[in-house]
Amino acid sequence: MSCDPVTFNNVDTKVFDCLKGKLSALGLNLEGAKGSISGPMSVEVDYEWSEANNTLFIHVVSKNFLIPCSRINAEIEKAIASCA
């Protein structure tokens, strides 16, 4: 089960580096500006950060059916906001 892709704006270098640090503390490592990560509850996410546009594209390609897409997106948005 996947979610609709989401693009987050105003994700500059400082915010992206902070987000990488937060995810690393959870055992999730963003390797470069583009890639895929696997997390708890069978969540798999593709991401692409554009430094030129200050945007972060997120696509949840797989997840546990118990977790709504809205919750995943809200958690990502919350993490980005705390880094801004």
Side-chain angles (χ1 to χ4, degrees):
M1 177 175 240
S2 67
C3 300
D4 291 335
V6 178
T7 300
F8 296 93
N9 297 305
N10 302 315
V11 182
D12 61 15
T13 303
K14 175 186 158 263
V15 173
F16 188 64
D17 287 343
C18 173
L19 186 61
K20 287 193 305 187
K22 286 180 177 284
L23 291 174
S24 179
L26 298 172
L28 305 170
N29 296 310
L30 298 180
E31 300 292 331
K34 182 178 181 179
S36 298
I37 56 173
S38 296
M41 302 288 293
S42 302
V43 175
E44 294 181 33
V45 178
D46 289 342
Y47 69 93
E48 184 172 354
W49 175 62
S50 171
E51 183 175 13
N53 297 324
N54 288 338
T55 57
L56 179 61
F57 171 83
I58 299 287
H59 183 209
V60 178
V61 294
S62 177
K63 67 174 190 66
N64 184 310
F65 73 94
L66 295 174
I67 305 171
C69 293
S70 59
R71 179 172 174 210
I72 294 170
N73 292 336
E75 290 297 322
I76 295 169
E77 188 171 356
K78 181 178 163 183
I80 289 171
S82 73
C83 287

